[in-house]
């Protein structure tokens, strides 16, 4: 049992203090996840798969928020670790199911769970991680006492409701091919989908684990909401341009997936009717699947050009595919065109401005927390605001 | 607030008392689900989808077990209803995700969630139902007191772990195309996958809601384990032959899905090596997908026979499909052959014998519960043992 994080090691060249803080939190959280699940009962395959995404790296941002908040308020590390580990596990469960829902292929430098192991296994592994997370929250009764343990459970119940509601809104937008959405619509969705589980609840749960009263939770909600908005917009911007080695996700994946980002919505709202119509048509196209890699179309083209397939035969095959609603997928040219549309409309600058506004609001909300004493934990939270927003600079 | 179930109505022709009891439990549970989720926040689409499977009918077996156990021990209906409703919601969440994992098309007389709304929506709706289920269990603190509420939460946490472990084992068997499995292997998997969430935990949670002590839980585990085994084997037998209107699932779906049932494993163990090899090869074949309905093969055949597609062209297309590992799916002839193999080996009789043994063990376990007084609730439990096992008669 440890009361706090170890002190940073002495270095000849001082590293970035935030990175060092995040690394310490990640180490503590990884240790807790191994303690909780590394020797779990059940088939080894399931245990390995549960630990797959958490072991792929990632910054462990959510555990760091919980730990910084708890230690910053004078709480003990062992009081918050099960909660921090649980939130990290929830995050990874959501990632596995999101990757299925978004048809993503790549996550932290490796194929996504459903690409590597199939959708059935990926659905069950995500369910396993959601299921496993309840036990440590119940064990909290012994760690932090009954009242705080129940308050953390209620916060997590609230968080999961918000998250699935946000996910449902985003899926609805893609399904309905909605485009006439405002910045406010986008921010409402992001608050539900991202801010609660990634920022607000980690901060609140850390504070509760330190014994903070209910009056502390509202200012933390404000802080987490703005931090979440700045984070998600920045993440969406990174998705358009970042180096996959550094970013760990697919480049432009959001455009292939038909995600409604602040930039894309701004570009469509700003576009001339004809361009908007083209953009909306592109968004309605499905993402290419592995089947599209078959090259069946190209082969049929070649056969037809060599006279080995009649014109009528080619037409019949195309007609069959068409009537079966096998619509053509998005192409790279489509994605480039959307990107150009956003560039011409100044949508990336607009998104950067909105992200900067929310980062400033988050910094201001943190500055107002006069009940959080100065410490390296508070410093880490302040540095996190800069980090979350500054990744595109 | 109601203390108990209403009395059955007077009938000119007395109906089946168990069916009447189940109908009363279902009505009470449906009312509770509507109270809990019918006016939930969030987008109407998500709410409607959360209520879709529960509203499709089903016998509400799990709520009935909880209610009968609680009322039979002198507990109040309102003490058990949130738990009963939560268990029914869990069941329906598992069904939605199972249907994705098993590629099932049909559920209670309608297309499955992922067939009707796509895999992304179905994954999220299942997650929503799992997430929503935590709140009523927390509200239990006010209904049944802190101690019992925490014990019910722990029982549910234990249950979900067991369920995902069982699901993982079954998915592993399908993935590895395992066939050399004993009755005991099958029963271990069924206990994890089915008995905990469908029988053991509903019985235990109902008893806890009535204030029963920890010493009551082990005999209920024994009762639920045998009841679960009899139920699942009977369900697997029904899957081979039942009327879809009465049964609500696909006929022979298990064989198409490659499920390892007691009958199929018995047939493979009993078969001559050559027949076993053929059976195992069939099981390795994938289930036909919607794409297979395209009729592309038939169209190519027609074009080739009319000279509109050259022999070389047809070969090139076949080779392309073959090298892309688009293996041929199972056929109806495959399924018929497996069914005949089971018939010849007497596997259906063997399965019926095993189910009967567990039904007898369940009846004996119930008979030994001398702390459960005689009542219409105890009678309902006894009738349920007969019902669960007797569906194939």
């Amino acid at each position: 049992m440890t009361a706090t994080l170890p002190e940073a090691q002495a270095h000849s060249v001082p590293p970035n203090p935030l990175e060092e803080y995040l690394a310490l939190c990640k180490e503590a959280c990884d240790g807790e996840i191994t303690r909780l699940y590394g020797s779990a009962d059940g088939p080894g395959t399931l245990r390995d798969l549960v630990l797959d995404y958490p072991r792929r790296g990632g910054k462990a941002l959510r555990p760091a928020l919980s730990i910084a908040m708890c230690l910053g308020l004078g709480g003990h590390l062992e009081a918050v670790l099960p909660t921090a580990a649980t939130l990290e596990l929830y995050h990874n469960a959501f990632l596995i199911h999101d990757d299925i829902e978004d048809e993503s292929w790549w996550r932290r430098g490796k194929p996504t769970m459903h690409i590597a192991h199939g959708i059935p296994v990926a659905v069950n592994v995500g369910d396993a991680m959601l299921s496993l997370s309840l036990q440590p929250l119940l064990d909290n009764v012994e760690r932090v006492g009954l009242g705080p343990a129940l308050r953390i459970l209620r916060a997590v119940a609230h968080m999961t409701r918000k998250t699935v509601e946000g996910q449902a809104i985003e899926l609805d937008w893609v399904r309905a091919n909605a485009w006439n959405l405002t910045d406010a619509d986008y921010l409402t969705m992001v608050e539900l989908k991202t801010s609660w589980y990634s920022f607000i609840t980690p901060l609140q749960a850390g504070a509760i684990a330190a014994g903070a009263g209910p009056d502390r939770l509202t200012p933390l909600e404000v802080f987490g909401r703005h931090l979440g908005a700045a984070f998600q917009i920045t993440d969406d911007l990174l998705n358009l341009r970042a180096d996959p080695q550094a970013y760990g996700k697919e480049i432009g994946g959001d455009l292939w997936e038909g995600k409604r980002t602040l930039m894309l919505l701004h570009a469509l709202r700003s576009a001339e009717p004809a361009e908007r119509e083209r953009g909306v048509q592109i968004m309605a196209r499905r993402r290419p699947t592995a089947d599209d890699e078959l090259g069946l179309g190209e082969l049929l083209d070649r056969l037809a050009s060599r006279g080995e397939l009649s014109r009528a035969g080619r037409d019949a095959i195309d007609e069959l595919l068409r009537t079966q609603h096998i619509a053509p997928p998005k192409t790279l040219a489509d994605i480039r065109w959307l990107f150009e549309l956003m560039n011409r409309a100044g949508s990336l600058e607009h998104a950067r401005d909105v992200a900067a506004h929310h980062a400033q609001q988050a910094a201001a909300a943190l500055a107002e927390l006069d009940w959080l004493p100065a410490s390296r934990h508070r410093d880490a939270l302040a540095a996190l605001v800069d980090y979350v927003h500054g990744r595109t600079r």
Side-chain angles (χ1 to χ4, degrees), chain A:
Chain A
M1 291 286 191
T2 337
T4 188
L5 290 172
E7 286 302 319
Q9 305 265 316
H11 295 273
S12 48
V13 180
N16 178 327
L18 176 64
E19 282 182 11
E20 197 152 34
Y21 191 89
L22 287 172
L24 290 172
C25 290
K26 179 161 173 49
E27 202 179 322
C29 181
D30 285 351
E32 181 74 5
I33 287 176
T34 302
R35 189 185 73 78
L36 286 168
Y37 307 107
S39 60
D41 293 340
T45 321
L46 183 59
R47 183 170 62 243
D48 289 344
L49 292 176
V50 161
L51 295 175
D52 177 2
Y53 269 36
R55 281 178 177 158
R56 290 189 185 189
K59 294 227 179 298
L61 198 60
R62 292 150 196 87
L65 289 167
S66 281
I67 291 170
M69 206 62 220
C70 178
L71 301 188
L73 287 172
H76 285 209
L77 186 59
E78 70 259 34
V80 74
L81 267 186
T83 306
T86 296
L87 291 172
E88 185 64 8
L89 215 67
Y90 262 108
H91 168 54
N92 283 279
F94 290 144
L95 287 182
I96 291 172
H97 282 183
D98 277 4
D99 285 342
I100 300 171
E101 292 167 29
D102 300 338
E103 299 176 41
S104 301
W105 302 340
W106 205 247
R107 171 69 64 189
R108 293 177 186 156
K110 291 186 185 174
T112 51
M113 182 74 73
H114 69 282
I115 293 292
H117 300 281
I119 288 177
V121 169
V123 169
N124 192 52
V125 172
D127 286 352
M129 294 164 83
L130 293 175
S131 304
L132 291 167
S133 60
L134 186 52
Q135 191 59 53
L137 296 181
L138 290 168
D139 296 341
N140 262 344
V141 172
E142 280 83 47
R143 290 267 180 127
V144 298
L146 191 57
L150 280 175
R151 287 172 61 210
I152 290 173
L153 270 167
R154 290 208 174 91
V156 170
H158 188 72
M159 169 193 102
T160 53
R161 279 181 88 132
K162 296 286 181 188
T163 308
V164 295
E165 278 173 28
Q167 193 72 11
I169 291 173
E170 191 169 43
L171 290 171
D172 269 355
W173 286 352
V174 173
R175 194 164 53 152
N177 202 29
W179 67 268
N180 196 6
L181 300 161
T182 64
D183 286 356
D185 293 328
Y186 169 87
L187 289 166
T188 300
M189 184 274 290
V190 162
E191 181 183 327
L192 291 165
K193 184 190 74 159
T194 302
S195 300
W196 275 97
Y197 96 84
S198 298
F199 296 94
I200 300 172
T201 307
L203 289 165
Q204 291 182 332
I208 296 168
D215 55 315
R216 303 303 194 213
L217 302 189
T218 305
L220 292 178
E221 187 181 323
V222 175
F223 176 40
R225 178 179 295 125
H226 289 299
L227 196 53
F231 171 86
Q232 188 62 58
I233 297 168
T234 306
D235 218 52
D236 293 349
L237 283 164
L238 276 171
N239 187 274
L240 289 175
R241 58 164 244 200
D243 171 2
Q245 292 300 321
Y247 181 61
K249 296 185 206 168
E250 306 161 288
I251 296 314
D254 288 350
L255 289 172
W256 289 103
E257 289 164 14
K259 283 263 175 83
R260 273 58 187 157
T261 61
L262 201 72
M263 296 80 81
L264 185 61
L265 294 170
H266 176 267
L268 291 169
R269 287 197 311 267
S270 316
E272 297 299 320
E275 294 213 304
R276 175 186 303 148
E277 195 178 333
R278 181 168 172 193
V280 172
Q281 274 173 1
I282 290 175
M283 287 158 67
R285 287 182 195 144
R286 64 190 175 82
R287 165 170 212 167
T289 65
D291 293 349
D292 295 316
E293 313 281 314
L294 273 177
L296 186 61
E298 286 78 359
L299 174 63
L300 295 176
D301 284 347
R302 274 202 310 281
L303 290 173
S305 72
R306 291 202 304 253
E308 303 215 24
L309 173 63
S310 70
R311 177 63 187 257
R314 178 69 214 256
D315 286 350
I317 294 174
D318 284 349
E319 173 68 10
L320 177 76
L321 296 174
R322 202 186 58 71
T323 56
Q324 300 281 349
H325 306 292
I326 311 274
K330 293 190 186 82
T331 65
L332 190 57
D334 288 339
I335 300 302
R336 287 199 176 121
W337 189 88
L338 288 177
F339 190 77
E340 279 310 307
L341 186 73
M342 292 190 288
N343 262 335
R344 272 180 287 145
S347 305
L348 277 63
E349 291 74 17
H350 171 69
R352 271 187 218 109
D353 289 346
V354 177
H357 165 76
H358 285 285
Q360 285 153 12
Q361 295 291 106
L366 177 61
E368 277 176 29
L369 303 183
D370 52 14
W371 38 270
L372 180 67
S375 70
R376 63 170 172 140
H377 311 294
R378 185 178 173 128
D379 291 345
L381 290 172
L384 262 172
V385 177
D386 279 344
Y387 163 75
V388 153
H389 164 238
R391 291 179 296 159
T392 56
R393 283 195 298 248

